[in-house]
Amino acid sequence: MSSSQHDWALTLPPALPPFTEESLVASARRGYRSLRRRWLCLGPECAERDGLRAWCKLPARIQLQDGWCCSPECLQAAVAALAAIELRRIRMAPLPHTHRVPLGLTLLSRGIITAPQLRAALEAQHQAQHEAQGQHQGSRPARIGELLVRDNAASEEEVAAGVALQWARPTFPLDQSQGWRQCRNWVPFPVLEALRMLPLHCVHASAAARRRLYVGFTQSIDFHALSALAQIFECQTESCIITESALNRVFDEMRALSAQAQVQDISFDHIDDAAEVAGITRQYAKLVQARQIRLAALGPFLWVRLRGDRIIHLTFRSASS
Ligand SMILES: [Zn+2]
């Protein structure tokens, strides 16, 4: 092992600037500016964003992300600007993390599977990918873990433990937990289904601490989804690994329950136009007397959550995905 591999240990964090009166004034000024920014209307064309009259509109204001909009017109314009950014992000489709030790090798090194079993699963995966290239995209390609379970080379629990090791996250016994029921209306079902994830439970340790939302994944952790959930719910997110069959059982139950859901999920397909998203959002904001709106990109979806006299989820699926 070369010594250069340990060089990072010698890099100390930069020293903090000396504490002076000027730095105190500067930080107070920064604080004031950020406070002012928070109170300004987000409408890019708003005539009253800086004026006193914007303050007079306080009761009619709608919270959007961490800012505010003074009128439905400003809301529409601000949502259009935000949606354009998120839709671009969806179109760019971030690549999945690939820097981990492959699951097959992890299971092999733990002695859970044998080399011939891994080779057979890899060949089956290669073949499935080859076949999928000819077809129209839509169905999810089989993961190596699923193929190993199918071939009886490993149990579901062993695969989940391998994924957990690969991502350095704990496994979560979903079969023994009912916590997901508490969160079952939090994320639109089509999003959960497409991303194969599930909010497991939410913990509020103390008044000072932020809420912590535990989210289960089966084969890989979607960090973009985790940060989107953190943004929507203003909480911290933690990931865990759950088994495929436990997730499928919960999904089946959710499908049965969705008819009596208190939260309305409204899906729109093939929408790539930020102006259209903004127009629809404005209409629903009026319908539910929205006080708070948050939006985020999750996988192929743009998700808008409106909270007013009730909660409505709008999901826009991009045409390009
Ligand atoms: Zn405004």
Side-chain angles (χ1 to χ4, degrees):
M1 190 177 284
S2 74
S3 63
S4 67
Q5 274 177 296
H6 293 291
D7 283 352
W8 58 268
L10 300 171
T11 334
L12 292 168
L16 288 170
F19 186 76
T20 61
E21 210 170 301
E22 287 83 56
S23 72
L24 202 67
V25 171
S27 88
R29 206 170 275 158
R30 263 199 308 280
Y32 171 71
R33 269 204 296 271
S34 91
L35 189 72
R36 225 168 87 101
R37 242 199 323 274
R38 286 180 74 110
W39 283 96
L40 287 181
C41 176
L42 290 175
E45 313 261 283
C46 182
E48 298 173 11
R49 55 192 319 231
D50 217 358
L52 209 75
R53 276 196 295 165
W55 288 76
C56 305
K57 287 191 172 181
L58 263 174
R61 298 205 307 174
I62 300 169
Q63 190 186 352
L64 175 65
Q65 308 289 64
D66 291 323
W68 298 87
C69 296
C70 76
S71 65
E73 292 73 37
C74 287
L75 173 72
Q76 189 172 352
V79 168
L82 285 171
I85 295 168
E86 298 295 342
L87 287 172
R88 202 175 312 132
R89 190 176 296 173
I90 293 169
R91 271 196 297 276
M92 275 164 28
L95 291 167
H97 293 250
T98 50
H99 57 274
R100 318 231 154 222
V101 178
L103 177 62
L105 285 182
T106 308
L107 294 171
L108 184 66
S109 71
R110 310 276 291 179
I112 290 164
I113 57 167
T114 63
Q117 283 172 327
L118 175 59
R119 211 172 304 130
L122 284 172
E123 269 164 29
Q125 191 186 36
H126 187 75
Q127 200 180 341
Q129 276 167 354
H130 193 71
E131 281 164 17
Q133 274 171 3
Q135 299 164 4
H136 182 72
Q137 70 176 123
S139 64
R140 205 165 41 89
R143 308 285 197 116
I144 198 81
E146 289 170 275
L147 293 166
L148 287 167
V149 172
R150 190 197 64 186
D151 296 348
N152 289 321
S155 72
E156 266 214 308
E157 286 69 26
E158 285 168 338
V159 168
V163 176
L165 203 70
Q166 197 188 6
W167 294 85
R169 299 301 310 154
T171 54
F172 182 83
L174 180 57
D175 279 329
Q176 295 156 37
S177 165
Q178 300 293 323
W180 63 269
R181 290 174 196 280
Q182 166 209 350
C183 323
R184 78 178 167 88
N185 289 322
W186 287 22
V187 182
F189 189 63
V191 175
L192 296 181
E193 235 182 349
L195 274 68
R196 302 225 24 106
M197 67 171 195
L198 182 74
L200 298 169
H201 64 137
C202 189
V203 183
H204 208 156
S206 68
R210 293 183 86 189
R211 284 189 308 172
R212 197 178 287 253
L213 179 65
Y214 288 83
V215 186
F217 293 90
T218 56
Q219 301 275 328
S220 64
I221 292 169
D222 187 333
F223 290 104
H224 302 283
L226 279 177
S227 65
L229 291 176
Q231 189 180 330
I232 294 263
F233 295 113
E234 300 167 83
C235 64
Q236 286 185 319
T237 46
E238 297 278 354
S239 52
C240 311
I241 305 300
I242 52 180
T243 62
E244 296 277 353
S245 63
L247 181 65
N248 287 337
R249 274 194 292 279
V250 169
F251 278 176
D252 285 342
E253 212 174 319
M254 279 179 142
R255 265 183 222 108
L257 286 167
S258 63
Q260 35 170 305
Q262 307 116 345
V263 177
Q264 209 178 340
D265 285 347
I266 302 154
S267 314
F268 299 88
D269 277 335
H270 310 301
I271 288 194
D272 274 314
D273 183 15
E276 209 174 335
V277 169
I280 293 168
T281 303
R282 180 179 168 177
Q283 284 172 21
Y284 279 99
K286 191 180 171 198
L287 184 75
V288 297
Q289 300 283 310
R291 308 301 309 150
Q292 190 193 47
I293 297 174
R294 287 189 165 265
L295 60 91
L298 264 108
F301 299 93
L302 172 62
W303 170 27
V304 183
R305 181 177 189 271
L306 299 103
R307 204 168 81 180
D309 45 25
R310 62 202 153 103
I311 292 172
I312 282 193
H313 291 154
L314 307 176
T315 46
F316 300 91
R317 202 186 173 120
S318 160
S320 57
S321 60

